[in-house]
Amino acid sequence: MVLDSGPQSYPQQHPDDFGNGLPRRRGGKKGSPCNGLRLYPFLSPSLSLESDSSGPAQTTRPPSKASYLRNPEPRPPPLNFCPAIPSPCSWMRRSESTCAVNRRDRARGQIRSAASLPHIPRARAAGPSNRKSPCLLVALRPVNIEVEREKFFQARFAYNPQFQYEEPVPEAVLEKYKEASDQFVSQAIGIINAVLEKYGSYESFEATNGGKLLSKCQIWPIIRKYMQKEGCSGEVVVQLTEDLLSQAVMMVENCRPTLAINLSGARQNWLEGMLRHEIGTHYIRGVNNAHQPWHSLEGRKQYGLKPANPTEEGLASLHSVLFRKQPFLWRAALLYYTIYQASHMSFCELFQDLDRYVQDVGVRWEYCVRAKRGQRDTSKPGCFSKDQVYLDGILRILRHRQTIDFHLLAALGKVSYEDIDHLKKFGALDKARIPHFMQDRERYNQLLDHIVTTNCLKDEELEQLLPD
């Protein structure tokens, strides 16, 4: 749906310009009217627009030792499947932590707890392919994951999965992400322990701080109000779904920037944080980037730009928790820790190690699969380290928060904070948008300080880890 709630506060970005900065999805249908708004139905017709999914998602509790004695063959929690991807996933978001909304050629997914980690998109069934190269996300998804999951749970977590892949995983990709960093392991553990010491478990933290799950009729006013704050009413197509296996994903649909939101993750106190992440960070920096002379790959090379990550995902992750009373960085910390442990542990060892932090065995399995993706024999140490980017980016930004010009960081587009000084004299800043929550510089810096304090981080420690 296009939320058009009033006049624009800023000039609208042409969709083709923005599309250069976001993944593009092929196909799509013509919009149709719905409830006075416009519907871009890239979801399956099986998804009812009138349905209300405000009830809590089901989570899987770990089986007790007594239950093992009564039932010698523990069964794994129900699987939630991701869609088959029949074409390269060029329209997926770069973080690899999201997947597509419901498609006609897939079984309908299940709602998942906001505390659980999104699935990696499911690989296609075996068969001939006309593609020259597989999508990275599909290539890294084992084709026998359901069978191996069943074996793992039946073996009472004492079996190391033997993964098979539809096509060979690109060696260059495995080589790039084969090494895990231990640079911020201490900080990751400190963040995790801070949450557990205060709340006992992440599930308790979420229930206490996230607020109730919202229905569709409660979500729309919040989205409209936020779009007005950012001056982008009518620019972004917004779709609510029960079948998105992540909290949200930004993509290009029908040549329009499109935000799909998972109803199961839309909590009263955290929904606006998701909007700050997707719209206030990724979308606005994408719009600003389209005006810059470095908007193309050739331009980035010409100006000698560093990669946008880890700054991009680090900044977005900070904005997700910016206004929370308890802005813990749990997910980024647990991803970082899990990947480091996977680099020198087998799958079974990793699963048992995470027991101290993750009670839900289904969620724990997902973290382990993400860390071990790309491997065939998971009895061997090894990892896929890409998801360490979140905490890495967060800590680097917090380390330099006193000297970073955050207005320029937003205005210059998809750039690293390290490139601000030498780019500012070349930047096209007259049309730049600054997210509304960043405009009060003093308040913004105070909120970053609060994140540092809440997560038991120390400036002296960060300065030692990341010297100038």
Side-chain angles (χ1 to χ4, degrees):
M1 296 183 182
V2 176
L3 300 179
D4 192 356
S5 305
Q8 308 303 311
S9 302
Y10 301 88
Q12 290 195 22
Q13 175 69 17
H14 192 279
D16 290 339
D17 293 337
F18 178 76
N20 293 330
L22 271 182
R24 184 176 303 277
R25 177 176 174 177
R26 300 177 181 177
K29 294 183 179 180
K30 184 177 180 181
S32 59
C34 179
N35 297 333
L37 303 174
R38 290 172 59 200
L39 170 65
Y40 286 78
F42 60 90
L43 300 181
S44 164
S46 65
L47 175 61
S48 171
L49 293 172
E50 290 75 33
S51 64
D52 181 11
S53 194
S54 58
Q58 299 297 319
T59 57
T60 305
R61 308 309 306 166
S64 65
K65 292 183 179 178
S67 68
Y68 284 143
L69 296 177
R70 293 191 302 268
N71 183 7
E73 294 187 358
R75 306 293 293 180
L79 278 170
N80 294 311
F81 298 128
C82 265
I85 309 295
S87 60
C89 307
S90 60
W91 49 273
M92 283 188 173
R93 216 181 76 186
R94 64 204 160 281
S95 69
E96 294 193 25
S97 63
T98 56
C99 70
V101 291
N102 194 29
R103 297 168 59 97
R104 285 188 173 184
D105 54 355
R106 58 158 285 192
R108 181 167 177 171
Q110 300 175 3
I111 301 176
R112 306 183 64 243
S113 167
S116 65
L117 197 67
H119 276 282
I120 308 164
R122 186 183 182 187
R124 296 186 304 156
S129 173
N130 294 324
R131 292 180 295 163
K132 294 182 179 180
S133 61
C135 164
L136 175 60
L137 298 183
V138 174
L140 289 171
R141 174 78 180 191
V143 294
N144 64 333
I145 191 168
E146 294 90 347
V147 173
E148 294 302 291
R149 190 174 189 271
E150 185 79 13
K151 291 180 181 178
F152 179 76
F153 280 92
Q154 286 183 349
R156 301 177 184 177
F157 320 136
Y159 166 75
N160 288 299
Q162 304 295 301
F163 290 137
Q164 299 172 6
Y165 299 89
E166 180 182 4
E167 301 183 45
V169 179
E171 288 298 327
V173 173
L174 295 180
E175 183 69 22
K176 180 178 180 180
Y177 295 113
K178 73 175 184 179
E179 300 291 340
S181 172
D182 64 352
Q183 186 174 12
F184 304 120
V185 168
S186 177
Q187 289 68 37
I189 294 174
I191 293 168
I192 295 168
N193 285 335
V195 174
L196 297 181
E197 288 171 8
K198 187 174 182 65
Y199 295 98
S201 68
Y202 178 78
E203 290 79 9
S204 175
F205 164 68
E206 180 185 65
T208 303
N209 294 275
K212 66 178 183 179
L213 288 168
L214 301 174
S215 65
K216 288 184 177 181
C217 63
Q218 293 171 319
I219 292 173
W220 285 122
I222 297 173
I223 297 176
R224 288 191 182 96
K225 184 177 181 180
Y226 185 84
M227 295 294 189
Q228 289 176 328
K229 287 179 182 179
E230 301 298 2
C232 57
S233 299
E235 294 180 19
V236 179
V237 178
V238 179
Q239 188 62 269
L240 304 182
T241 175
E242 299 172 359
D243 291 325
L244 182 66
L245 302 183
S246 64
Q247 292 191 19
V249 59
M250 198 79 192
M251 67 184 99
V252 171
E253 166 73 16
N254 293 330
C255 299
R256 298 292 304 275
T258 301
L259 172 63
I261 300 174
N262 191 342
L263 285 165
S264 69
R267 291 188 173 269
Q268 182 179 14
N269 301 331
W270 290 354
L271 177 59
E272 188 161 334
M274 182 276 296
L275 295 171
R276 287 193 299 270
H277 183 119
E278 301 293 346
I279 301 297
T281 309
H282 292 317
Y283 173 70
I284 287 183
R285 272 169 57 96
V287 168
N288 290 338
N289 194 75
H291 296 296
Q292 306 303 334
W294 48 81
H295 70 274
S296 64
L297 180 60
E298 293 74 14
R300 296 186 71 87
K301 291 180 180 178
Q302 178 184 348
Y303 285 88
L305 268 62
K306 298 180 184 298
N309 270 324
T311 297
E312 177 77 15
E313 291 298 345
L315 186 65
S317 298
L318 285 169
H319 291 165
S320 293
V321 304
L322 193 65
F323 288 97
R324 293 183 186 179
K325 293 181 180 179
Q326 300 293 332
F328 284 108
L329 299 163
W330 166 275
R331 179 178 175 274
L334 188 56
L335 280 170
Y336 194 97
Y337 172 85
T338 302
I339 289 168
Y340 171 70
Q341 293 295 79
S343 68
H344 58 270
M345 287 184 175
S346 68
F347 194 103
C348 290
E349 292 170 338
L350 179 63
F351 190 87
Q352 295 301 328
D353 182 74
L354 290 184
D355 179 56
R356 71 183 83 176
Y357 300 136
V358 183
Q359 296 178 359
D360 189 313
V361 294
V363 173
R364 207 189 316 163
W365 160 268
E366 293 174 11
Y367 273 95
C368 293
V369 171
R370 286 189 69 86
K372 288 289 188 179
R373 55 184 168 165
Q375 278 191 288
R376 294 183 180 273
D377 181 1
T378 65
S379 67
K380 301 177 181 178
C383 70
F384 189 77
S385 64
K386 191 176 190 305
D387 285 339
Q388 286 191 321
V389 69
Y390 300 104
L391 187 63
D392 187 297
I394 287 169
L395 295 183
R396 291 180 188 278
I397 290 172
L398 292 178
R399 157 65 177 90
H400 296 283
R401 69 188 186 281
Q402 305 296 344
T403 56
I404 293 175
D405 186 329
F406 285 98
H407 280 197
L408 281 177
L409 186 59
L412 293 172
K414 303 280 188 176
V415 302
S416 168
Y417 71 87
E418 298 176 89
D419 287 329
I420 292 176
D421 287 342
H422 85 268
L423 288 180
K424 59 186 179 183
K425 60 184 176 182
F426 303 111
L429 304 178
D430 55 325
K431 296 182 180 181
R433 304 185 185 188
I434 307 299
H436 78 280
F437 55 85
M438 297 180 72
Q439 293 179 5
D440 186 336
R441 294 176 186 265
E442 182 178 0
R443 175 60 173 157
Y444 184 81
N445 289 331
Q446 289 173 351
L447 293 170
L448 293 182
D449 290 341
H450 182 47
I451 293 174
V452 170
T453 302
T454 300
N455 290 275
C456 301
L457 300 171
K458 294 180 174 60
D459 285 321
E460 298 81 7
E461 192 175 13
L462 292 176
E463 289 171 5
Q464 292 177 359
L465 284 168
L466 299 165
D468 290 326

